[in-house]
Amino acid sequence: MERQIRRAAVIGSGVMGASIAAHLANVGIPCLLLDIVPSQLTGEEKRKGLTLDSNEVRNRLAVNAIKKLKKNKPAPLYDEDLASLITPGNIEDDLERIKEVDWVVEVIVENLSIKKQLFERVEKVWEKGIIVSSNTSGISINAMVDGRSTEFKQHFLGTHFFNPPRYMKLLEIIPGDETLTEIVDVMRPFCENKLGKGVVIAKDTPNFIANRIGAYSMHVTLNEMLAKGYTIEEIDACTGPAIGRPKSATFRTLDIVGLDTFVHIANNMYEKVSDEAEKKVFKVPEILQQMVDKGWIGEKAEQGFYKKVKNEKGKKILSLNVQTMEYEPQKKIAGASLEAAKMAKGAKQKLRALFSTEDRYAELAWNTLKEVLLYSAEKVGEIADSIVEIDEAMKWGFNWELGPFETWDAIGLEKSVHRMEKEGSSVPQWVKDWIEAGNTSFYKRKEGTTYFVSNDAYKQLEPNPKVISLRTLKEQNKVIKANSGASLIDLEDGIACLEFHSPNNAIGADILMMIEESIKEVRSNYDGLVIANQGRNFCVGANLMMLLMEAQDEEWDEVEHIIRLFQNTMYHLKRFEKPVIAAPHRMTLGGGVEVCLPADRVVASAETYYGLVEAGVGLIPAGGGCKELISRLSLTVTNPEVDLQPYVNKIFETLGMAKVSTSALDAKKLGYLREQDTVVVHQDHLLFEAKQAALRLVQEDNATKPEEDIRVVGSEGKALMQLGAYQMKLAGYISDHDQLIANKLAHVLAGGDVPAGTRVSEQYMLDLEREAFLSLCGEPKTRQRMQYMLSKGKPLRN
């Protein structure tokens, strides 16, 4: 079926509906946002003389929702200007406009009767070919369209986004009994490639996959707490990072989700499952219902299992004592098993370490985890066709590092099943049969290929051609060169990838050395270079600890050597005659940005938080960051009659305030990325797209890139910037040390004490950077800032 989704309509402008519309706008899809017509005027509307027939009133809900999108945190939009792609309306006047779109998504109240009434109205104006879906989190897809025509049902399915839609990777697609296969075949790649989602196909069962397993996990944990007398803090200590789950663990997660929402999900399960043992698990505990009745429903009510209170030091977080129903200061939890897990690296090793020690907390983790593993195994075939959908749903929807079956493999399938049976648990027959057949795991990897259990045999997990795994390439012996900080890996087709793998991907001498080695290797044997990695963040900057140690010891020659080495390496990268593509993702700060600036193209993940933040630790960018931004400006504004000062002032403000982009699109707005740099919505596709960009540049003329002089604003421009800093100091916005840093930054960005319009060399600008950086390293307050950042993870204002 040849069709594309170019326009959409979202019905329901609540938080979720508006956020889905925002994400559609993020990827360039215009959409209608429709809601009901208000039945009463607001006071402001009355003062304006409006009536219930006024368009402003009739569209009020959608209009206000769009306004909120620009203010909400975390931001639903990559850039608030994208809100212009969303057109507000109402379902009385504008429902017929769904004929103009390719996809309609319903996001109204979770009430079957109301949804059915809406779809009856939608069908009256619907035209064949338009895809219609519901964002329900658990109501039956088939039940919603009971009574609708066969053709409508064929074009109908569930598309369950997880909240917030921009940031959460999971999207469950739930076909109905009559949904055409070709409709699923359109939606799956669209949601993956265009919306950047991790898509799983779920069956039309209560709460689908992720909420089914997630709610069960929370219920067994709650029940274990109430039965054994564990505290809130103990539960969260054992159900968070110790077992490969988010820091929010159980009760912080419940507070974020909302206890009222969770009770709704639980009641939905309780009513719809028929198995009595399963019903018993999903019965809402009395304590939870009491909390909802009191309005203690979590973060949106500012209290749930945790409560923030103000004190003389700012804010303090209290936890609920479930015995007394009083909030108390949190107690620190410590135990041998938890300490062992904390010391281990990676989710698999943490789990093994946790269960290698027998204590109260290892028992708690085992008792809750065991039930989730058994439940997941029971539901294979019922809620999803394979273990893969279940594992991916839990990783993408609940941010678990390992899905249930990956977890089972990590703790040892045979050993754990033996313990379960010894303790009287009922293990699904298919799991016992699998082990009796001589298998020791649900997954296996062989020569970079993953296999998983399916119908009593290992089945190959079909690779996605747009997903390039550096781990797999390493397993296939594709490493060309490597040291402790980085590796050069063959991506095939003449392209090599430089991967950072130092702690936090911080840049030190080992990475700089590998960049130089990579340039030599690619020059001789490859056509292009991609700089990318698949760590949590692309790069958090240079190795600040190493720099601080040298500064504290006053080893100024060594500090200068480090900076000069960084500058020279970036200069060589920029001058390299073959294509260089940088592919940043998530946190890309300081030196991480300076590695990207010399690249011929940047192919950035949409979720890239990009910034030269050196001012936050009392320094200025000195790896070519200042030079490169001024050089780009000089090359862009070529008319000598055009005043550069306003543009330089913007750079000065961006660097001086250590601004970090909220997305890759915002990085373009801040001037860090260029127009020719591209944005990739699906982060798993980032390396593939970077490779494609390199291959395209290979086809172009790749002659040596000559150095060009840089036009600067000179001493006059410097004075203007420094005056601005002085005024901010007088107004109390910045400290004396902030002003000192700003003055140094102004000196560098202006090109020093030269006349306005002077053209200077790149090396001259690099020398200015290095001199300013060295002088700031000698300042005690800068060293205090560096130390504070390393110990506290946040900037010090001194």
Side-chain angles (χ1 to χ4, degrees), residues 396-451:
W396 297 341
F398 279 76
N399 292 321
W400 292 5
E401 288 187 51
L402 302 170
F405 298 95
E406 292 170 324
T407 298
W408 215 333
D409 282 353
I411 63 177
L413 178 58
E414 291 176 291
K415 181 174 68 175
S416 61
V417 165
H418 177 72
R419 180 176 173 182
M420 289 170 184
E421 291 188 311
K422 189 178 177 182
E423 292 172 353
S425 296
S426 176
V427 177
Q429 189 60 45
W430 76 266
V431 175
K432 293 193 283 187
D433 291 344
W434 182 246
I435 293 171
E436 286 171 12
N439 300 297
T440 58
S441 64
F442 293 115
Y443 292 92
K444 71 174 182 179
R445 283 181 68 80
K446 185 177 180 183
E447 297 176 353
T449 301
T450 299
Y451 300 84

Side-chain angles (χ1 to χ4, degrees), residues 120-265:
E120 183 179 4
R121 293 183 62 185
V122 167
E123 186 175 15
K124 289 176 181 176
V125 295
W126 174 80
E127 291 183 349
K128 185 179 177 181
I130 298 171
I131 297 169
V132 182
S133 73
S134 172
N135 182 61
T136 179
S137 59
I139 294 176
S140 168
I141 300 304
N142 291 302
M144 276 189 269
V145 288
D146 184 34
R148 305 279 57 77
S149 69
T150 298
E151 281 189 337
F152 190 84
K153 291 177 182 177
Q154 288 173 340
H155 290 77
F156 184 79
L157 71 168
T159 50
H160 180 209
F161 288 81
F162 273 62
N163 192 28
R166 168 182 164 182
Y167 301 95
M168 292 302 292
K169 186 174 179 178
L170 180 62
L171 191 148
E172 294 174 321
I173 287 182
I174 312 100
D177 290 343
E178 298 185 55
T179 307
L180 294 172
T181 302
E182 52 260 43
I183 296 298
V184 177
D185 290 344
V186 168
M187 290 302 293
R188 183 168 197 161
F190 167 78
C191 292
E192 180 179 311
N193 299 328
K194 189 71 174 178
L195 300 184
K197 295 300 171 188
V199 176
V200 297
I201 304 298
K203 293 179 181 288
D204 189 16
T205 56
N207 290 356
F208 314 128
I209 302 174
N211 278 345
R212 181 79 171 262
I213 303 295
Y216 187 88
S217 175
M218 288 186 177
H219 271 284
V220 296
T221 305
L222 269 166
N223 294 339
E224 183 75 5
M225 177 188 75
L226 297 172
K228 303 284 179 64
Y230 288 103
T231 66
I232 299 294
E233 297 97 320
E234 286 178 317
I235 294 290
D236 276 358
C238 297
T239 58
I243 59 170
R245 306 275 176 84
K247 288 181 182 178
S248 56
T250 298
F251 292 109
R252 289 189 193 281
T253 298
L254 278 170
D255 278 355
I256 293 166
V257 169
L259 274 63
D260 53 339
T261 302
F262 181 71
V263 165
H264 171 79
I265 292 170

Side-chain angles (χ1 to χ4, degrees), residues 35-48:
D35 212 316
I36 61 173
V37 174
S39 58
Q40 290 183 319
L41 294 171
T42 65
E44 185 181 352
E45 287 167 344
K46 289 176 183 176
R47 286 190 294 274
K48 286 183 176 179

Side-chain angles (χ1 to χ4, degrees), residues 645-794:
Q645 192 67 49
Y647 304 101
V648 177
N649 289 347
K650 184 182 176 185
I651 295 171
F652 177 63
E653 179 184 327
T654 299
L655 303 193
M657 296 180 71
K659 290 184 179 180
V660 177
S661 73
T662 57
S663 67
L665 286 181
D666 189 44
K668 285 194 173 188
K669 212 169 186 178
L670 289 174
Y672 287 130
L673 294 180
R674 301 157 295 190
E675 201 54 46
Q676 65 263 40
D677 295 329
T678 56
V679 177
V680 177
V681 179
H682 200 310
Q683 190 172 305
D684 292 351
H685 299 174
L686 185 61
L687 189 51
F688 171 84
E689 296 296 348
K691 178 183 172 181
Q692 298 309 304
L695 290 170
R696 286 192 293 272
L697 286 185
V698 167
Q699 304 304 315
E700 299 178 9
D701 182 19
N702 293 312
T704 303
K705 303 153 191 172
E707 181 173 334
E708 296 188 29
D709 287 342
I710 302 165
R711 182 161 68 104
V712 295
V713 295
S715 54
E716 292 177 17
K718 168 184 165 181
L720 286 171
M721 286 184 275
Q722 291 181 338
L723 176 61
Y726 175 70
Q727 289 171 334
M728 288 187 74
K729 169 65 177 59
L730 285 181
Y733 291 120
I734 63 174
S735 67
D736 288 338
H737 195 55
D738 290 326
Q739 186 184 5
L740 174 66
I741 299 162
N743 287 342
K744 298 278 186 183
L745 179 62
H747 179 73
V748 175
L749 294 177
D753 295 316
V754 296
T758 300
R759 303 196 75 87
V760 300
S761 68
E762 287 191 51
Q763 188 57 56
Y764 170 84
M765 292 292 288
L766 290 173
D767 292 344
L768 290 180
E769 281 186 359
R770 193 172 62 257
E771 289 163 9
F773 190 95
L774 277 166
S775 67
L776 286 169
C777 281
E779 294 288 335
K781 286 189 176 181
T782 283
R783 295 201 291 273
Q784 288 171 14
R785 289 190 178 194
M786 294 164 75
Q787 182 70 59
Y788 195 84
M789 177 61 75
L790 287 167
S791 61
K792 304 288 187 181
K794 55 185 179 182

Side-chain angles (χ1 to χ4, degrees), residues 562-610:
I562 293 167
I563 304 309
R564 194 181 290 273
L565 177 63
F566 200 128
Q567 289 183 339
N568 290 343
T569 303
M570 296 307 105
Y571 182 82
H572 296 156
L573 196 61
K574 184 177 182 181
R575 298 272 85 82
F576 186 39
E577 67 277 7
K578 292 191 175 181
V580 176
I581 308 294
H585 66 277
R586 292 183 60 84
M587 299 302 291
T588 304
L589 305 175
V593 173
E594 288 178 313
V595 166
C596 298
L597 288 173
D600 297 294
R601 293 286 188 281
V602 174
V603 177
S605 165
E607 298 300 340
T608 299
Y609 318 123
Y610 202 79

